[in-house]
Amino acid sequence: MEDPREIALTKLSELLKHPDDLNSKVGPLTRKLTKEKASIDAQLNTGVQSQLDHVQEGLETLTISSRNISRMKENMRSIDKLCYDAQSMIADFPRINMISQVHQNFVATQAKVEAFQELYQQLSDIEEEFAPLQRDIFQPHDTLLHVHYHLFKLEEFRDKTMHQARDSPHDVVITLKTYFRRVDVLSDDFTQHLWLLARNLIPLVENSCGATIVKLVKIIECEELADEKALAAKQAQTNHHDLQGHKKWRLAEGNPRNIKSYRVEFYEQLHQSILEHFDDEFGPYKENQDWQGALDASEFIFNELELVQDHIVPKFPKKYKIFPYFVLEYHRHTYDLLNQMVLQDLDAGTILRLLRFVREYYGTMSTRLGVTEELLEPQLLDGQEQLLVDEYLKLVRRKLVEWTTTLMTSESREFVNRENPPDMAPDGQYGLSGAVDLFQIINQQIDVASDANQGKLLYLVVSECGKVMKDSQSFWKKLLHNELQRQLEHPDDVPEGFVEYVMALANDQIKCSEFTRDILIRIPSIVDANYKTQVEDKLSGAIDGYLQIASIAREALLEVTFADLTPVFNDLFTARWYEQPLVPSIIETFKDYCNDFNHLNKKIFDRLIHDILDRFLMLYIEAMRHKNAKFHMDTCLECIQSDVRLSFNFFAKYTSTDEMADKFDVIEKVHTLLESNRRMIFVDYYNLRQAYPDVPLAFIENILSKRDDLDKSALKDIIEGIKAKAREYEPDANTPPTIFSRIKW
């Protein structure tokens, strides 16, 4: 218990937060708290006084009751004394009393004899009325109460007679039992019929036999009342054992009735019938190990409980609590069924179906029947859903690894051996079957997990699928790197078709990114809000991974394209270049490859064309600084123009004119610098530096040194002037890097 002083200090710290509050708030708070204390004291005083008054009234009532009891005892003693004294006042009282008892015994014996004489006829009448009811429980039971009434009287007669004959000779008892044998048989048959009705409450309602249920309840209530009276008599017999046999205290002899406990037996019969009902419903599924079928067949639980709530509950007294009984019985049998399932070796689909069933079960109980989860004990699966989730994830992980390993093995074998060309789609694009197969597997797992109605489970499944995607991406990165190295280092020793398969891989990665984006679009609406951000991050990362592989594949195509052209670029601006044009052969190679690249995804193709153009320009500029490069000014400028014109016309087929002009601007400015005279060369250098601030001064010096129209002294003056200009120029720090930053110097 908390310390009152600590509570008071905490309250004061909340009310007085600043030193100034001592001056401004203490007075008003004191007055306010004083009023509250006075009000509470007044309420307590009133409550205490009221309680004292009630206690006083109770004590006075007890005192009066005690006096009345004492008075009644005195009166009873007086009556007993008067009765005893009256016997001596009447002449021959013992003889008169004996004759009266003899007469009473004679009348009782005559009644008993007449009852025995009518017994069999009464039994025959009752049996005749009861027989039609036995044949069909769904026919109207209009005579059920009548049969029970007369049978009840016969049972009373039997029990009383056997009780009176309890001290008779054995042969008398045997004779009486023989007489009452038909009563016993009829009583047992009637009881069994009642329990047959009890076991078929729901079928009775379905067959419009609600009145029969009402009669059944009335009979149970009647028997329960008789049991209560018998128990009260037996209790009196136990409490007043010393008065047994006393002629003035007949109650102490007890009650001859055998306690039937119909209400207890009714619940037992109901329990047994529900158990058999569940066995009948789920037995075939258990035998066939069809656990999903068993869960699908469980709809009857809610339908029947609705029937109980609407049609059976109104026919029972509230004290029976018949609806809670049915709910808990059905729930416990459902609990047992699920526990049996958990012990089996369930597949992933069944585990998910089971998890979904548990959520839907509680939801349906609440919405359709108004029964909350807290009232349903024991908890389904004993609250161990997480263990099932872990088991499911283990199965999913194993299956995904198994499927993807098989898929990757097959795909990699085709990619490496290249015995047949890759598949071609109707749009002419190459492709591999792996992308479609992989995402069929992934989407299947996600769809199944989403149906389980478990927000966290869906997130975990997406995480596992994300791992599979990452693993496949790492696999393709490594395989593509190794195959590219083989292609570049030993082109004659590898199977043909590398370019085609790389195009197929690139197209597949774009498809994978689109498939993943489709998942990303639909997942947020069905995943738990707590995991939405994590799911989006994982899927976005997977999309980036696929696009990265597509980019790596594009770079591989770029490397293969230029692999055979390296010697040609090395000969640019050398004697061979002056002897015959070399760029036409480069452009022809580009044409051949671009015809093949038409089988690429449009986005990859466009990006690859830009990469080829950039690489061409970079290599063309790099060639100007090669060791054997020379600029014969009488012919080189025209040759460069010819190269630019030819390459420009080729790339213009795939790129806009404005973009082409922007790309070739660097060649144009270098060409201008080459043809510039000594007076204009500083201006042309300035223009080049303005457009390309990262152009190395060493590159300028290198290409100018290769001009055959500049002697060493003139070149020296030009270089010194350019260096001076370079020191004066302060490029903008925010200027983005240009093509010169991508060239290795």
Side-chain angles (χ1 to χ4, degrees), residues 24 72 132 229 246 303 306 330 337 342 349 387 393 405 520 568 605 618 675:
S24 60
M72 289 178 64
K229 291 180 180 178
H246 198 288
N303 296 335
E306 273 189 329
Y330 274 53
L337 173 68
V342 171
L387 294 178
L393 289 174
T405 300
L520 179 60
V568 180
F605 177 81
M618 289 167 57
E675 69 175 354

mmCIF file of all heavy atoms in Angstrom, residues 24 72 132 229 246 303 306 330 337 342 349 387 393 405 520 568 605 618 675:
data_model
loop_
_atom_site.group_PDB
_atom_site.id
_atom_site.type_symbol
_atom_site.label_atom_id
_atom_site.label_comp_id
_atom_site.label_asym_id
_atom_site.label_seq_id
_atom_site.Cartn_x
_atom_site.Cartn_y
_atom_site.Cartn_z
ATOM 1 N N SER A 24 1.282 32.772 -4.499
ATOM 2 C CA SER A 24 0.030 33.008 -5.239
ATOM 3 C C SER A 24 -1.010 31.905 -5.076
ATOM 4 O O SER A 24 -2.206 32.166 -5.211
ATOM 5 C CB SER A 24 0.345 33.180 -6.729
ATOM 6 O OG SER A 24 0.974 32.013 -7.228
ATOM 7 N N MET A 72 -42.900 -19.007 21.391
ATOM 8 C CA MET A 72 -43.427 -20.162 20.673
ATOM 9 C C MET A 72 -43.052 -21.463 21.382
ATOM 10 O O MET A 72 -43.864 -22.408 21.461
ATOM 11 C CB MET A 72 -42.883 -20.179 19.241
ATOM 12 C CG MET A 72 -43.473 -19.090 18.352
ATOM 13 S SD MET A 72 -42.775 -19.106 16.698
ATOM 14 C CE MET A 72 -43.327 -20.687 16.130
ATOM 15 N N PRO A 132 -46.543 -44.198 -28.918
ATOM 16 C CA PRO A 132 -46.341 -43.355 -30.116
ATOM 17 C C PRO A 132 -45.200 -42.344 -29.944
ATOM 18 O O PRO A 132 -44.521 -42.005 -30.902
ATOM 19 C CB PRO A 132 -47.687 -42.634 -30.261
ATOM 20 C CG PRO A 132 -48.663 -43.469 -29.516
ATOM 21 C CD PRO A 132 -47.907 -44.061 -28.372
ATOM 22 N N LYS A 229 -37.677 -31.751 -2.077
ATOM 23 C CA LYS A 229 -38.491 -32.138 -0.927
ATOM 24 C C LYS A 229 -37.915 -33.381 -0.260
ATOM 25 O O LYS A 229 -37.854 -33.471 0.976
ATOM 26 C CB LYS A 229 -39.928 -32.396 -1.373
ATOM 27 C CG LYS A 229 -40.675 -31.149 -1.822
ATOM 28 C CD LYS A 229 -42.093 -31.484 -2.260
ATOM 29 C CE LYS A 229 -42.839 -30.232 -2.707
ATOM 30 N NZ LYS A 229 -44.215 -30.559 -3.171
ATOM 31 N N HIS A 246 -40.496 -41.932 16.448
ATOM 32 C CA HIS A 246 -41.437 -41.284 17.376
ATOM 33 C C HIS A 246 -42.728 -40.982 16.651
ATOM 34 O O HIS A 246 -42.733 -40.383 15.577
ATOM 35 C CB HIS A 246 -40.813 -40.002 17.926
ATOM 36 C CG HIS A 246 -41.485 -39.519 19.174
ATOM 37 N ND1 HIS A 246 -42.728 -38.955 19.183
ATOM 38 C CD2 HIS A 246 -41.059 -39.542 20.480
ATOM 39 C CE1 HIS A 246 -43.062 -38.618 20.423
ATOM 40 N NE2 HIS A 246 -42.055 -38.974 21.234
ATOM 41 N N ASN A 303 -23.642 -21.509 -36.691
ATOM 42 C CA ASN A 303 -25.055 -21.610 -37.071
ATOM 43 C C ASN A 303 -25.880 -22.237 -35.959
ATOM 44 O O ASN A 303 -26.979 -21.763 -35.636
ATOM 45 C CB ASN A 303 -25.192 -22.439 -38.352
ATOM 46 C CG ASN A 303 -24.532 -21.781 -39.547
ATOM 47 O OD1 ASN A 303 -24.379 -20.548 -39.580
ATOM 48 N ND2 ASN A 303 -24.120 -22.558 -40.530
ATOM 49 N N GLU A 306 -26.208 -19.915 -32.936
ATOM 50 C CA GLU A 306 -27.239 -18.914 -33.222
ATOM 51 C C GLU A 306 -28.627 -19.501 -33.023
ATOM 52 O O GLU A 306 -29.529 -18.840 -32.491
ATOM 53 C CB GLU A 306 -27.088 -18.402 -34.659
ATOM 54 C CG GLU A 306 -26.135 -17.248 -34.808
ATOM 55 C CD GLU A 306 -26.174 -16.631 -36.196
ATOM 56 O OE1 GLU A 306 -26.430 -17.356 -37.165
ATOM 57 O OE2 GLU A 306 -25.951 -15.416 -36.296
ATOM 58 N N TYR A 330 -19.241 -26.171 -26.986
ATOM 59 C CA TYR A 330 -18.773 -26.110 -28.374
ATOM 60 C C TYR A 330 -17.341 -25.592 -28.423
ATOM 61 O O TYR A 330 -16.515 -26.079 -29.211
ATOM 62 C CB TYR A 330 -19.688 -25.205 -29.202
ATOM 63 C CG TYR A 330 -20.894 -25.914 -29.764
ATOM 64 C CD1 TYR A 330 -21.749 -26.649 -28.950
ATOM 65 C CD2 TYR A 330 -21.200 -25.854 -31.119
ATOM 66 C CE1 TYR A 330 -22.856 -27.298 -29.461
ATOM 67 C CE2 TYR A 330 -22.304 -26.505 -31.644
ATOM 68 C CZ TYR A 330 -23.132 -27.223 -30.806
ATOM 69 O OH TYR A 330 -24.220 -27.870 -31.317
ATOM 70 N N LEU A 337 -10.196 -30.134 -30.800
ATOM 71 C CA LEU A 337 -9.924 -30.403 -32.211
ATOM 72 C C LEU A 337 -8.639 -29.716 -32.661
ATOM 73 O O LEU A 337 -7.785 -30.326 -33.320
ATOM 74 C CB LEU A 337 -11.103 -29.924 -33.064
ATOM 75 C CG LEU A 337 -10.889 -29.976 -34.587
ATOM 76 C CD1 LEU A 337 -10.795 -31.418 -35.064
ATOM 77 C CD2 LEU A 337 -12.009 -29.243 -35.312
ATOM 78 N N VAL A 342 -2.669 -29.567 -33.965
ATOM 79 C CA VAL A 342 -1.321 -29.048 -33.705
ATOM 80 C C VAL A 342 -0.317 -30.182 -33.514
ATOM 81 O O VAL A 342 0.871 -30.047 -33.843
ATOM 82 C CB VAL A 342 -1.346 -28.123 -32.471
ATOM 83 C CG1 VAL A 342 0.064 -27.752 -32.039
ATOM 84 C CG2 VAL A 342 -2.136 -26.865 -32.779
ATOM 85 N N GLY A 349 0.258 -24.611 -45.675
ATOM 86 C CA GLY A 349 -1.088 -24.126 -45.962
ATOM 87 C C GLY A 349 -2.043 -24.395 -44.821
ATOM 88 O O GLY A 349 -2.875 -23.542 -44.476
ATOM 89 N N LEU A 387 4.159 -19.938 -31.848
ATOM 90 C CA LEU A 387 4.888 -21.165 -32.173
ATOM 91 C C LEU A 387 4.476 -21.673 -33.546
ATOM 92 O O LEU A 387 5.317 -22.149 -34.322
ATOM 93 C CB LEU A 387 4.608 -22.229 -31.106
ATOM 94 C CG LEU A 387 5.148 -21.927 -29.696
ATOM 95 C CD1 LEU A 387 4.757 -23.038 -28.736
ATOM 96 C CD2 LEU A 387 6.659 -21.755 -29.738
ATOM 97 N N LEU A 393 6.866 -20.239 -40.704
ATOM 98 C CA LEU A 393 7.980 -19.526 -41.335
ATOM 99 C C LEU A 393 9.129 -20.478 -41.639
ATOM 100 O O LEU A 393 9.804 -20.349 -42.664
ATOM 101 C CB LEU A 393 8.461 -18.403 -40.422
ATOM 102 C CG LEU A 393 7.516 -17.203 -40.292
ATOM 103 C CD1 LEU A 393 8.031 -16.237 -39.261
ATOM 104 C CD2 LEU A 393 7.348 -16.502 -41.631
ATOM 105 N N THR A 405 16.465 -22.750 -55.081
ATOM 106 C CA THR A 405 17.722 -23.443 -55.389
ATOM 107 C C THR A 405 17.573 -24.260 -56.663
ATOM 108 O O THR A 405 18.447 -24.222 -57.550
ATOM 109 C CB THR A 405 18.122 -24.362 -54.221
ATOM 110 O OG1 THR A 405 18.304 -23.567 -53.044
ATOM 111 C CG2 THR A 405 19.406 -25.104 -54.537
ATOM 112 N N LEU A 520 4.486 -4.274 -53.825
ATOM 113 C CA LEU A 520 4.605 -3.093 -52.978
ATOM 114 C C LEU A 520 3.326 -2.254 -53.005
ATOM 115 O O LEU A 520 2.942 -1.649 -52.006
ATOM 116 C CB LEU A 520 5.803 -2.251 -53.432
ATOM 117 C CG LEU A 520 6.076 -0.945 -52.675
ATOM 118 C CD1 LEU A 520 6.329 -1.227 -51.207
ATOM 119 C CD2 LEU A 520 7.256 -0.207 -53.289
ATOM 120 N N VAL A 568 41.163 -0.744 -82.280
ATOM 121 C CA VAL A 568 40.787 0.293 -83.257
ATOM 122 C C VAL A 568 40.932 1.666 -82.626
ATOM 123 O O VAL A 568 41.477 2.606 -83.239
ATOM 124 C CB VAL A 568 39.354 0.060 -83.760
ATOM 125 C CG1 VAL A 568 38.967 1.132 -84.782
ATOM 126 C CG2 VAL A 568 39.223 -1.330 -84.372
ATOM 127 N N PHE A 605 17.533 -0.528 -73.387
ATOM 128 C CA PHE A 605 18.122 -0.231 -74.694
ATOM 129 C C PHE A 605 18.479 1.251 -74.796
ATOM 130 O O PHE A 605 19.589 1.612 -75.220
ATOM 131 C CB PHE A 605 17.145 -0.623 -75.798
ATOM 132 C CG PHE A 605 17.629 -0.281 -77.180
ATOM 133 C CD1 PHE A 605 18.528 -1.108 -77.839
ATOM 134 C CD2 PHE A 605 17.201 0.877 -77.830
ATOM 135 C CE1 PHE A 605 18.986 -0.789 -79.112
ATOM 136 C CE2 PHE A 605 17.652 1.195 -79.089
ATOM 137 C CZ PHE A 605 18.542 0.356 -79.735
ATOM 138 N N MET A 618 34.355 9.204 -74.790
ATOM 139 C CA MET A 618 35.481 9.115 -73.859
ATOM 140 C C MET A 618 36.698 8.476 -74.521
ATOM 141 O O MET A 618 37.831 8.990 -74.410
ATOM 142 C CB MET A 618 35.069 8.296 -72.628
ATOM 143 C CG MET A 618 34.089 9.006 -71.704
ATOM 144 S SD MET A 618 33.352 7.882 -70.479
ATOM 145 C CE MET A 618 34.823 7.251 -69.690
ATOM 146 N N GLU A 675 42.351 23.534 -84.034
ATOM 147 C CA GLU A 675 42.541 24.339 -85.249
ATOM 148 C C GLU A 675 42.811 25.809 -84.946
ATOM 149 O O GLU A 675 43.019 26.610 -85.851
ATOM 150 C CB GLU A 675 41.299 24.227 -86.127
ATOM 151 C CG GLU A 675 40.058 24.910 -85.564
ATOM 152 C CD GLU A 675 38.889 24.870 -86.524
ATOM 153 O OE1 GLU A 675 39.091 24.420 -87.666
ATOM 154 O OE2 GLU A 675 37.783 25.270 -86.125
#
